[in-house]
Amino acid sequence: MSYLYAVIDSQVPSCLKLKAHLSDYSDFELTNIVHDHYDGMSMILKYLPDVVFVNLTKSDASDIIKMIGELHQYIRKMPIFIGYSETKQYAYDALKQGFFDYWLFPYTEFDVRKTIFKLRRQRPKEKTPSTICLKTYRDFHYLDTSEILYLQADNNATDFILTDGDKVSAYKTLKSFEETLPTNFIRIHQSYILNSEYVSRINYGKCICTLRNNSREIPFSKSYKTKIDELQTLLSNNAIQHVN
């Protein structure tokens, strides 16, 4: 299971440095980067990252720490916060707010590695069950979620389309599976939930997601555009960028 992480930092060089260090850890996946405490609050409530890295060198560092204190009002499970700064000025306030660690510039790859290993040991990522059980009367069908391409509604039933081309039907509505599947499954249409790990293309003009394996095109509706935007941001942040 990956740790989803986000960054609050207005300084491009330090963002790039942090992203480069974390690229060595396959279980850390970037969700978003924002530049101030206003966008930081919105980003955390939107993406619910597991870990948030915060640059406390900036002029609004005290506002960021205050914002983190206010988060308790809105979410039950707080992210793990890790701060970094040129000085120790906000170290006490950060640790008082429960920051997991605090680095001083110029922090090194070794500093990052120690924090990552300590985090893995003290805050292990809970493993999401990788198998889903579809039950029909006394018939139990077990599917590996990594082999599911997408789900399609069929009246009051749901079809599971698998990577090998097989189709398995379950006599429950699509909505009943929406919140029980792992987070990589995203509802993009009244009739479709797809496995985001198989998305190879998002075409906003045609409102279509193309899947790897069989190049199947899955429509998305405008009412789910926010979900598509989140998916596009997540995929782009973890891809090598090349814009024509």
Side-chain angles (χ1 to χ4, degrees):
M1 285 296 295
S2 295
Y3 292 89
L4 297 179
Y5 78 90
V7 181
I8 303 176
D9 190 344
S10 62
Q11 299 175 9
V12 174
S14 60
C15 284
L16 294 175
K17 176 182 177 180
L18 177 63
K19 189 175 178 181
H21 282 315
L22 293 175
S23 66
D24 292 334
Y25 303 94
S26 60
D27 55 341
F28 276 73
E29 187 174 345
L30 178 63
T31 58
N32 205 5
I33 297 174
V34 298
H35 304 306
D36 56 47
H37 66 284
Y38 294 109
D39 291 336
M41 171 78 84
S42 176
M43 176 268 295
I44 291 170
L45 295 178
K46 182 176 182 179
Y47 293 100
L48 298 176
D50 301 302
V51 185
V52 179
F53 295 88
V54 185
N55 187 341
L56 294 174
T57 303
K58 308 183 303 173
S59 58
D60 68 341
S62 60
D63 291 322
I64 291 176
I65 292 175
K66 183 180 178 181
M67 175 271 292
I68 292 170
E70 294 173 351
L71 275 173
H72 291 278
Q73 302 176 45
Y74 309 111
I75 54 179
R76 182 174 300 176
K77 184 179 179 182
M78 291 287 286
I80 298 165
F81 288 96
I82 296 170
Y84 50 95
S85 178
E86 294 176 355
T87 71
K88 296 180 180 179
Q89 180 179 357
Y90 294 103
Y92 174 77
D93 291 333
L95 295 176
K96 188 177 178 181
Q97 282 291 354
F99 272 56
F100 185 79
D101 213 340
Y102 192 97
W103 306 327
L104 286 175
F105 285 112
Y107 65 83
T108 66
E109 186 274 335
F110 184 48
D111 294 322
V112 175
R113 190 187 314 145
K114 286 189 295 183
T115 297
I116 297 302
F117 275 73
K118 183 171 70 171
L119 189 153
R120 286 172 175 166
R121 181 179 176 83
Q122 296 183 10
R123 307 282 187 89
K125 184 71 175 172
E126 295 178 4
K127 186 176 180 180
T128 302
S130 61
T131 303
I132 185 171
C133 175
L134 305 180
K135 178 183 176 183
T136 305
Y137 300 109
R138 295 181 63 82
D139 181 18
F140 297 83
H141 201 134
Y142 299 92
L143 299 180
D144 188 332
T145 57
S146 66
E147 297 176 358
I148 301 171
L149 274 178
Y150 65 92
L151 290 70
Q152 182 175 1
D154 183 10
N155 294 319
N156 289 324
T158 299
D159 293 332
F160 286 72
I161 310 302
L162 308 182
T163 54
D164 61 4
D166 284 351
K167 179 176 74 173
V168 178
S169 296
Y171 296 99
K172 288 186 177 181
T173 63
L174 191 67
K175 185 174 180 60
S176 66
F177 295 105
E178 188 172 357
E179 296 188 3
T180 58
L181 287 164
T183 55
N184 53 296
F185 285 84
I186 299 174
R187 183 80 174 263
I188 64 166
H189 190 280
Q190 192 69 21
S191 300
Y192 293 97
I193 293 175
L194 58 73
N195 186 343
S196 62
E197 294 180 356
Y198 288 101
V199 174
S200 63
R201 182 179 182 182
I202 300 174
N203 188 320
Y204 279 92
K206 296 181 179 180
C207 294
I208 284 173
C209 289
T210 304
L211 303 183
R212 291 185 283 119
N213 283 43
N214 57 11
S215 297
R216 186 165 301 189
E217 295 181 337
I218 308 297
F220 63 85
S221 55
K222 292 182 179 179
S223 58
Y224 287 91
K225 184 178 178 296
T226 300
K227 291 289 186 181
I228 291 295
D229 290 342
E230 292 175 9
L231 173 60
Q232 187 272 328
T233 299
L234 181 63
L235 295 177
S236 296
N237 282 337
N238 290 281
I240 299 172
Q241 297 292 318
H242 182 80
V243 180
N244 291 326

mmCIF file of all heavy atoms in Angstrom, residues 168-183:
data_model
loop_
_atom_site.group_PDB
_atom_site.id
_atom_site.type_symbol
_atom_site.label_atom_id
_atom_site.label_comp_id
_atom_site.label_asym_id
_atom_site.label_seq_id
_atom_site.Cartn_x
_atom_site.Cartn_y
_atom_site.Cartn_z
ATOM 1 N N VAL A 168 -17.871 -10.991 -14.700
ATOM 2 C CA VAL A 168 -18.523 -11.619 -13.555
ATOM 3 C C VAL A 168 -19.637 -10.689 -13.094
ATOM 4 O O VAL A 168 -19.411 -9.493 -12.892
ATOM 5 C CB VAL A 168 -17.532 -11.877 -12.403
ATOM 6 C CG1 VAL A 168 -18.256 -12.482 -11.211
ATOM 7 C CG2 VAL A 168 -16.400 -12.783 -12.865
ATOM 8 N N SER A 169 -20.839 -11.226 -12.927
ATOM 9 C CA SER A 169 -21.978 -10.404 -12.534
ATOM 10 C C SER A 169 -22.294 -10.570 -11.055
ATOM 11 O O SER A 169 -22.175 -11.668 -10.500
ATOM 12 C CB SER A 169 -23.209 -10.778 -13.371
ATOM 13 O OG SER A 169 -22.985 -10.488 -14.735
ATOM 14 N N ALA A 170 -22.659 -9.463 -10.423
ATOM 15 C CA ALA A 170 -23.070 -9.478 -9.017
ATOM 16 C C ALA A 170 -24.448 -8.847 -8.928
ATOM 17 O O ALA A 170 -24.719 -7.834 -9.590
ATOM 18 C CB ALA A 170 -22.076 -8.702 -8.164
ATOM 19 N N TYR A 171 -25.306 -9.411 -8.095
ATOM 20 C CA TYR A 171 -26.687 -8.933 -8.018
ATOM 21 C C TYR A 171 -26.846 -7.869 -6.935
ATOM 22 O O TYR A 171 -27.640 -7.993 -6.012
ATOM 23 C CB TYR A 171 -27.636 -10.113 -7.829
ATOM 24 C CG TYR A 171 -27.586 -11.033 -9.027
ATOM 25 C CD1 TYR A 171 -26.824 -12.194 -8.996
ATOM 26 C CD2 TYR A 171 -28.253 -10.697 -10.196
ATOM 27 C CE1 TYR A 171 -26.740 -13.014 -10.114
ATOM 28 C CE2 TYR A 171 -28.179 -11.503 -11.314
ATOM 29 C CZ TYR A 171 -27.417 -12.662 -11.282
ATOM 30 O OH TYR A 171 -27.321 -13.464 -12.391
ATOM 31 N N LYS A 172 -26.013 -6.828 -7.089
ATOM 32 C CA LYS A 172 -26.093 -5.637 -6.256
ATOM 33 C C LYS A 172 -25.885 -4.430 -7.151
ATOM 34 O O LYS A 172 -25.306 -4.532 -8.240
ATOM 35 C CB LYS A 172 -25.022 -5.653 -5.154
ATOM 36 C CG LYS A 172 -25.280 -6.645 -4.035
ATOM 37 C CD LYS A 172 -24.249 -6.470 -2.924
ATOM 38 C CE LYS A 172 -24.514 -7.400 -1.753
ATOM 39 N NZ LYS A 172 -23.529 -7.210 -0.660
ATOM 40 N N THR A 173 -26.344 -3.261 -6.704
ATOM 41 C CA THR A 173 -26.192 -2.047 -7.502
ATOM 42 C C THR A 173 -24.747 -1.574 -7.496
ATOM 43 O O THR A 173 -23.961 -1.927 -6.608
ATOM 44 C CB THR A 173 -27.089 -0.921 -6.977
ATOM 45 O OG1 THR A 173 -26.670 -0.583 -5.640
ATOM 46 C CG2 THR A 173 -28.548 -1.343 -6.967
ATOM 47 N N LEU A 174 -24.409 -0.752 -8.475
ATOM 48 C CA LEU A 174 -23.058 -0.195 -8.565
ATOM 49 C C LEU A 174 -22.712 0.616 -7.324
ATOM 50 O O LEU A 174 -21.579 0.564 -6.820
ATOM 51 C CB LEU A 174 -22.965 0.687 -9.814
ATOM 52 C CG LEU A 174 -21.578 1.158 -10.246
ATOM 53 C CD1 LEU A 174 -20.735 -0.021 -10.712
ATOM 54 C CD2 LEU A 174 -21.688 2.189 -11.371
ATOM 55 N N LYS A 175 -23.691 1.345 -6.807
ATOM 56 C CA LYS A 175 -23.466 2.197 -5.628
ATOM 57 C C LYS A 175 -23.035 1.386 -4.414
ATOM 58 O O LYS A 175 -22.240 1.857 -3.585
ATOM 59 C CB LYS A 175 -24.731 2.991 -5.310
ATOM 60 C CG LYS A 175 -24.561 3.984 -4.170
ATOM 61 C CD LYS A 175 -25.795 4.833 -4.006
ATOM 62 C CE LYS A 175 -25.625 5.831 -2.862
ATOM 63 N NZ LYS A 175 -24.500 6.748 -3.088
ATOM 64 N N SER A 176 -23.501 0.154 -4.298
ATOM 65 C CA SER A 176 -23.163 -0.661 -3.130
ATOM 66 C C SER A 176 -21.684 -1.019 -3.093
ATOM 67 O O SER A 176 -21.143 -1.349 -2.038
ATOM 68 C CB SER A 176 -24.006 -1.938 -3.109
ATOM 69 O OG SER A 176 -23.678 -2.781 -4.197
ATOM 70 N N PHE A 177 -21.011 -0.943 -4.254
ATOM 71 C CA PHE A 177 -19.579 -1.263 -4.308
ATOM 72 C C PHE A 177 -18.702 -0.009 -4.241
ATOM 73 O O PHE A 177 -17.494 -0.103 -4.040
ATOM 74 C CB PHE A 177 -19.251 -2.019 -5.604
ATOM 75 C CG PHE A 177 -19.892 -3.373 -5.698
ATOM 76 C CD1 PHE A 177 -20.983 -3.572 -6.529
ATOM 77 C CD2 PHE A 177 -19.419 -4.435 -4.944
ATOM 78 C CE1 PHE A 177 -21.585 -4.820 -6.616
ATOM 79 C CE2 PHE A 177 -20.013 -5.689 -5.031
ATOM 80 C CZ PHE A 177 -21.095 -5.881 -5.862
ATOM 81 N N GLU A 178 -19.316 1.155 -4.413
ATOM 82 C CA GLU A 178 -18.553 2.400 -4.573
ATOM 83 C C GLU A 178 -17.624 2.692 -3.393
ATOM 84 O O GLU A 178 -16.481 3.132 -3.576
ATOM 85 C CB GLU A 178 -19.516 3.571 -4.788
ATOM 86 C CG GLU A 178 -18.830 4.864 -5.164
ATOM 87 C CD GLU A 178 -19.819 5.945 -5.559
ATOM 88 O OE1 GLU A 178 -21.042 5.678 -5.590
ATOM 89 O OE2 GLU A 178 -19.372 7.072 -5.824
ATOM 90 N N GLU A 179 -18.084 2.453 -2.164
ATOM 91 C CA GLU A 179 -17.280 2.803 -0.993
ATOM 92 C C GLU A 179 -16.582 1.610 -0.360
ATOM 93 O O GLU A 179 -15.861 1.776 0.624
ATOM 94 C CB GLU A 179 -18.161 3.508 0.043
ATOM 95 C CG GLU A 179 -18.710 4.839 -0.456
ATOM 96 C CD GLU A 179 -19.413 5.612 0.638
ATOM 97 O OE1 GLU A 179 -19.424 5.133 1.789
ATOM 98 O OE2 GLU A 179 -19.946 6.689 0.332
ATOM 99 N N THR A 180 -16.767 0.418 -0.924
ATOM 100 C CA THR A 180 -16.108 -0.761 -0.350
ATOM 101 C C THR A 180 -14.855 -1.152 -1.117
ATOM 102 O O THR A 180 -14.007 -1.867 -0.580
ATOM 103 C CB THR A 180 -17.075 -1.962 -0.329
ATOM 104 O OG1 THR A 180 -17.523 -2.235 -1.662
ATOM 105 C CG2 THR A 180 -18.285 -1.673 0.549
ATOM 106 N N LEU A 181 -14.714 -0.672 -2.342
ATOM 107 C CA LEU A 181 -13.528 -0.986 -3.140
ATOM 108 C C LEU A 181 -12.350 -0.118 -2.708
ATOM 109 O O LEU A 181 -12.538 0.939 -2.100
ATOM 110 C CB LEU A 181 -13.830 -0.757 -4.621
ATOM 111 C CG LEU A 181 -14.747 -1.787 -5.279
ATOM 112 C CD1 LEU A 181 -15.280 -1.247 -6.599
ATOM 113 C CD2 LEU A 181 -14.010 -3.104 -5.505
ATOM 114 N N PRO A 182 -11.109 -0.537 -3.010
ATOM 115 C CA PRO A 182 -9.926 0.287 -2.691
ATOM 116 C C PRO A 182 -10.018 1.664 -3.345
ATOM 117 O O PRO A 182 -10.791 1.880 -4.298
ATOM 118 C CB PRO A 182 -8.762 -0.537 -3.270
ATOM 119 C CG PRO A 182 -9.267 -1.943 -3.297
ATOM 120 C CD PRO A 182 -10.737 -1.837 -3.587
ATOM 121 N N THR A 183 -9.212 2.600 -2.861
ATOM 122 C CA THR A 183 -9.302 3.996 -3.301
ATOM 123 C C THR A 183 -8.924 4.206 -4.766
ATOM 124 O O THR A 183 -9.210 5.268 -5.320
ATOM 125 C CB THR A 183 -8.409 4.890 -2.424
ATOM 126 O OG1 THR A 183 -7.065 4.377 -2.446
ATOM 127 C CG2 THR A 183 -8.912 4.926 -0.995
#
